[in-house]
């Protein structure tokens, strides 16, 4: 990476200066950032400001000494200029040749260009989707799935050792409700009139599960007491739904390395071992929840059961989470001695942390209030709060012709993910889910996603890749060989548009590394859209000005073809990070002249 060269030169200079006694050895890192205004150079370095206090010198005075040391360290001539700005920043300008050589690197590394080692092999478990196994995935789950897959993909490209994990909530009340819904349909299939309760699951898939049970067991459980059929119906229903979920995920090319079962946490004794661990560490005690707070001037509200059915009046086993930054202590066992959902959840995180160096959870935005207690649990269990990062996913509104779409016969509630993928395709589904930050609401326009025009963001980027492929097809037809890197030829790439594209290609590895460390795959989608817009602008400008990619000057033609070759590789790699294809041909009326006048 070009930025790496700047870091290398400054580290070498600072080490040499420390050896010479000009300043103390640096015990803090410095930043190397691209300035907002390109007029200030290629990068701004704050090394003098970081080291000034230790050195006992004003930052600008120290900056001048560092500049001299960096110039001495640059034996390869990679720097074009160093300037001191503001309170002590050092603005760096790199030689044009250094930028040009990044084109050669992009082509040489090919499908690996953009991969870095910033993760240093650190083991990370990324848990995402984890939708309850009570029905097919809806579009909200789909956004979680695609963002989570984008996060884990970025971490892999950044050199982390990643495991993809799905946590199956197959133990609590919701899967029992599913089992009862199936039993009602099972009765219905035997000719009985049934009424589905308001909180039951009404989707068509419930009838399919019931039909399978009828075919296997006949009328055996028609009048049997619930205790005889509830577990069987629950397990059968969960496995059926998990099969549907796997198919839904496969439709967007998502799979997992591990499916962790909540039920297995209990059956394996993990939850019991975890509770004993909490007791041994004095992290739990028996007590009551604090009473609900009253609003000013109003009487105290009546204590109501929480989502787990516990109230402030009961004696509970409470986890000392308030000692670690949570608002209150949280119940891990109910008054009857059964563990709470929170207990199983932190037991699962306890188990994960023993298998990995860091954890990433991708959760719906409605779980935002749950994050502090998870962080408190991590710290209480001897890990760091920083060992857990939570990515929150906001709601998706599915739109068609300006109208909101809500109902689905298959799911019985919201529109299923599979219905959307079947209509608009895998690539459009994945890319559009990443065109907004995950913590911002998203309007998914079905009609736009289906368009084979440049208005469709994924089509726009893929069209750019196809246009580059067409340029090479045209070049072969004109007798031009696939160009290799030639520095002298590359020096003819002097237009502002060409220089901009070169810098974008050079920035790609840094972009991926930064997006990975921020857990933000949408940055890649933004980069691809902005970069392909810059390419289309350059391409169009060249046609208008007579400076076409394939022109009369063989040196310029070779240089531009090599630029296109590097750019095509970057687009393909960026799309690969997002799990989107990079086609060489696009079938659309808008793209029939894709390679004309190149």
């Amino acid at each position: 990476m070009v930025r790496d060269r700047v870091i290398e030169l400054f580290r070498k200079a600072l080490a040499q200066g420390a050896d010479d006694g000009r300043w103390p050895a640096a015990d803090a890192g410095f930043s190397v950032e691209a300035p907002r205004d390109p007029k200030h150079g290629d990068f701004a370095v704050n090394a003098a400001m970081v080291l000034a206090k230790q050195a006992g010198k004003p930052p600008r005075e120290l900056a001048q000494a560092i500049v001299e040391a960096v110039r001495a360290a640059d034996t390869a001539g990679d720097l074009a200029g160093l300037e001191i700005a503001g309170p002590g920043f050092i603005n760096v300008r790199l030689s044009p040749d250094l930028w040009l050589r990044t084109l050669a690197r992009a082509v040489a590394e090919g499908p690996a260009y953009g991969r870095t080692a910033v993760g240093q092999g650190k083991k990370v478990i990324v848990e995402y989707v984890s939708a309850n196994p009570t029905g097919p995935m809806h579009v909200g789950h789909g956004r979680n799935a695609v963002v989570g897959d984008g996060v884990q993909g970025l971490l892999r490209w950044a050199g982390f050792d990643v495991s993809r994990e799905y946590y199956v909530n197959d133990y609590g009340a919701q899967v029992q409700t599913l089992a009862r819904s199936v039993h009602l349909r099972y009765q219905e299939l035997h000719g009985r009139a049934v009424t589905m309760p308001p909180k039951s699951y009404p989707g068509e898939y419930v009838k399919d599960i019931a039909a399978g049970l009828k075919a296997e067991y006949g009328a055996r459980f028609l009048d049997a007491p619930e205790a005889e059929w509830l577990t069987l119906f629950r397990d059968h229903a969960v496995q059926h739904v998990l099969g549907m979920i796997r198919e839904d995920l496969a439709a967007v090319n998502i799979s997992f390395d591990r499916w962790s079962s909540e039920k297995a946490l209990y059956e394996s004794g993990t939850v019991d071992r975890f509770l004993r661990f909490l007791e041994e560490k004095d992290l739990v005690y028996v007590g009551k929840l604090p009473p609900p707070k009253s609003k000013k001037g109003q009487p105290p509200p009546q204590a109501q059961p929480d989502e787990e059915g516990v109230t402030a009046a009961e004696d509970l086993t409470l986890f000392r989470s308030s000692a670690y930054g949570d608002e209150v202590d949280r119940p891990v066992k109910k008054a009857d001695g059964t563990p709470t959902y929170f207990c199983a959840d932190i037991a699962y995180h306890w188990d994960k942390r023993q298998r990995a160096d860091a954890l990433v959870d991708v959760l719906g935005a409605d779980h935002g209030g749950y994050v502090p207690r998870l962080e408190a649990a991590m710290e209480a269990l001897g890990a760091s709060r920083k060992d857990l990062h939570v990515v929150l996913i906001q709601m998706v509104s599915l739109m068609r012709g300006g109208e909101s779409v809500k109902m689905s016969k298959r799911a019985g509630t919201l529109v299923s993910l599979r219905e959307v993928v079947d209509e608009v395709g895998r690539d459009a589904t994945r890319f559009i889910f990443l065109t907004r930050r995950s913590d911002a609401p998203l309007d998914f326009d079905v009609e736009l996603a289906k368009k084979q025009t440049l208005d469709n963001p994924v089509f726009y980027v893929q069209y750019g890749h196809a246009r580059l492929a067409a340029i090479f097809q045209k070049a072969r037809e004109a007798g031009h060989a696939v160009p290799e890197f030639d520095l002298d030829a590359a020096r003819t790439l002097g237009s502002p548009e060409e220089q901009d594209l070169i810098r974008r290609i050079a920035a790609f590895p840094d972009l991926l590394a930064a997006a990975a460390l921020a857990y933000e795959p949408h940055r890649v989608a933004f980069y691809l859209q902005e970069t392909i817009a810059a390419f289309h602008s350059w391409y169009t400008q060249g046609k208008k000005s007579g400076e076409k990619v394939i022109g009369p000057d063989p040196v310029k033609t070779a240089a531009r073809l090599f630029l296109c070759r590097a750019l095509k590789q970057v687009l393909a790699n960026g799309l690969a990070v997002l799990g989107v294809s990079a086609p060489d041909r696009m079938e659309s009326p808008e793209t029939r002249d894709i390679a004309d006048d190149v």
Side-chain angles (χ1 to χ4, degrees):
M1 294 186 284
V2 173
R3 180 172 171 273
D4 285 348
R5 178 57 177 155
V6 176
I7 294 171
E8 178 187 357
L9 285 171
F10 272 79
R11 283 179 176 166
K12 183 178 179 181
L14 291 174
Q16 185 62 55
D19 289 344
D20 296 344
R22 283 178 283 172
W23 47 72
D27 60 1
F30 55 88
S31 66
V32 177
E33 305 293 342
R36 292 184 179 179
D37 188 347
K39 293 178 182 178
H40 296 155
D42 298 319
F43 294 98
V45 184
N46 69 345
M49 300 165 69
V50 170
L51 196 57
K53 186 175 181 180
Q54 288 176 262
K57 295 181 180 180
R60 286 186 65 90
E61 178 184 332
L62 182 59
Q64 184 59 52
I66 292 175
V67 163
E68 293 170 5
V70 172
R71 284 181 177 140
D74 180 29
T75 56
D78 289 332
L79 300 179
L82 295 167
E83 301 168 354
I84 301 170
F89 285 104
I90 300 174
N91 290 340
V92 180
R93 297 181 190 278
L94 300 175
S95 73
D97 286 0
L98 184 63
W99 288 106
L100 292 172
R101 283 195 289 268
T102 63
L103 300 180
R105 179 185 168 190
V107 171
E109 294 184 8
Y113 182 65
R115 293 190 181 274
T116 63
V118 297
Q120 300 178 331
K122 186 177 181 181
K123 177 73 173 177
V124 180
I125 293 175
V126 184
E127 181 211 332
Y128 52 112
V129 189
S130 295
N132 287 328
T134 53
M137 297 181 63
H138 57 63
V139 289
H141 297 140
R143 188 181 190 192
N144 183 304
V146 171
V147 171
D149 209 51
V151 168
Q152 69 85 24
L154 275 172
L155 292 172
R156 289 178 192 274
W157 276 72
F160 290 87
D161 179 5
V162 180
S163 178
R164 302 162 295 178
E165 198 148 315
Y166 188 118
Y167 182 51
V168 182
N169 298 117
D170 53 359
Y171 189 78
Q174 288 182 310
V175 289
Q176 290 185 336
T177 299
L178 174 63
R180 294 184 181 107
S181 301
V182 171
H183 192 263
L184 286 169
R185 293 300 190 189
Y186 173 78
Q187 294 180 59
E188 187 177 55
L189 290 174
H190 282 91
R192 294 185 178 178
V194 300
T195 300
M196 301 298 289
K199 292 187 178 181
S200 63
Y201 293 96
E204 291 293 306
Y205 65 96
V206 178
K207 296 179 182 178
D208 295 337
I209 299 169
L213 285 162
K214 180 188 175 188
E216 186 171 352
Y217 296 103
R220 176 177 168 183
F221 299 110
L222 193 57
D223 296 308
E226 184 178 278
E228 291 186 16
W229 55 260
L230 184 63
T231 299
L232 174 69
F233 275 50
R234 179 199 66 189
D235 293 348
H236 190 95
V238 166
Q239 290 307 310
H240 182 96
V241 172
L242 284 176
M244 296 169 60
I245 289 173
R246 283 187 171 92
E247 291 178 0
D248 292 344
L249 290 169
V252 283
N253 198 28
I254 292 175
S255 60
F256 288 88
D257 301 305
R258 178 168 175 152
W259 295 71
S260 288
S261 160
E262 181 187 3
K263 182 161 67 78
L265 287 176
Y266 287 94
E267 293 176 347
S268 66
T270 300
V271 172
D272 288 337
R273 288 195 300 275
F274 176 66
L275 285 168
R276 287 196 298 272
F277 172 83
L278 294 180
E279 291 167 359
E280 291 167 2
K281 298 292 184 181
D282 193 31
L283 291 171
V284 291
Y285 66 96
V286 176
K288 291 180 171 61
L289 289 173
K293 295 180 181 180
S294 59
K295 295 182 180 179
K296 189 174 181 180
Q298 296 183 5
Q302 294 293 317
Q304 297 292 327
D306 68 3
E307 65 271 14
E308 302 214 52
V310 300
T311 69
E314 299 175 295
D315 283 326
L316 308 166
T317 300
L318 299 173
F319 172 55
R320 300 183 191 276
S321 53
S322 63
Y324 300 92
D326 198 2
E327 293 181 345
V328 297
D329 293 338
R330 304 291 179 178
V332 290
K333 278 203 294 189
K334 302 178 185 179
D336 63 5
T338 58
T340 62
Y341 173 79
F342 177 60
C343 177
D345 204 21
I346 56 176
Y348 172 53
H349 282 76
W350 178 66
D351 172 73
K352 284 196 295 184
R353 182 61 183 82
Q354 294 176 77
R355 296 186 277 115
D357 301 307
L359 311 177
V360 179
D361 288 357
V362 183
L363 304 174
D366 56 334
H367 287 75
Y370 201 68
V371 176
R373 69 185 74 172
L374 285 177
E375 292 176 338
M378 292 291 289
E379 187 173 342
L381 298 175
S384 167
R385 303 171 80 90
K386 295 180 180 179
D387 290 342
L388 170 69
H389 184 85
V390 178
V391 178
L392 294 177
I393 309 294
Q394 271 289 357
M395 297 289 291
V396 179
S397 296
L398 200 65
M399 311 297 292
R400 190 190 300 276
E403 299 290 331
S404 178
V405 182
K406 295 181 179 179
M407 298 306 295
S408 165
K409 184 177 180 182
R410 179 175 184 243
T413 50
L414 301 177
V415 174
S416 71
L417 172 64
R418 187 60 176 272
E419 289 170 315
V420 173
V421 177
D422 288 347
E423 184 168 357
V424 309
R426 173 189 294 173
D427 286 346
T429 301
R430 290 189 65 114
F431 196 90
I432 290 175
F433 275 140
L434 297 171
T435 54
R436 296 290 303 275
R437 293 177 56 95
S438 63
D439 57 1
L442 172 71
D443 287 339
F444 191 112
D445 189 330
V446 176
E447 298 304 325
L448 175 64
K450 291 195 299 183
K451 283 185 177 180
Q452 298 292 296
T453 70
L454 301 184
D455 295 328
N456 181 342
V458 66
F459 186 91
Y460 185 61
V461 174
Q462 290 177 320
Y463 167 73
H465 186 271
R467 169 173 269 179
L468 286 160
I471 287 173
F472 284 103
Q473 177 62 34
K474 201 85 169 181
R476 285 190 292 271
E477 293 171 359
H480 294 278
V482 176
E484 296 301 326
F485 181 70
D486 183 313
L487 183 58
D488 289 333
R491 287 173 178 151
T492 66
L493 298 171
S495 74
E497 293 82 8
E498 289 165 343
Q499 290 295 306
D500 177 54
L501 287 172
I502 292 166
R503 279 164 169 72
R504 288 180 181 278
I505 292 166
F508 183 64
D510 278 331
L511 177 279
L512 293 190
L517 295 175
Y519 310 96
E520 292 184 342
H522 71 272
R523 294 191 189 189
V524 184
F526 288 2
Y527 168 88
L528 290 172
Q529 292 178 91
E530 292 168 356
T531 299
I532 206 61
F535 163 66
H536 289 315
S537 175
W538 170 64
Y539 177 87
T540 303
Q541 253 336 94
K543 289 173 65 176
K544 289 180 179 178
S545 65
E547 293 289 334
K548 300 176 183 178
V549 176
I550 302 174
D553 186 330
V555 175
K556 286 186 176 181
T557 295
R560 288 170 181 159
L561 284 174
F562 196 86
L563 173 61
C564 288
R565 188 178 175 190
L567 181 60
K568 183 173 181 288
Q569 187 66 66
V570 165
L571 291 178
N573 291 3
L575 288 167
V577 171
L578 302 184
V580 176
S581 68
D584 283 346
R585 292 181 59 84
M586 301 286 285
E587 299 299 332
S588 168
E590 278 199 32
T591 61
R592 284 175 184 163
D593 62 346
I594 194 168
D596 287 352
D597 302 322
V598 296

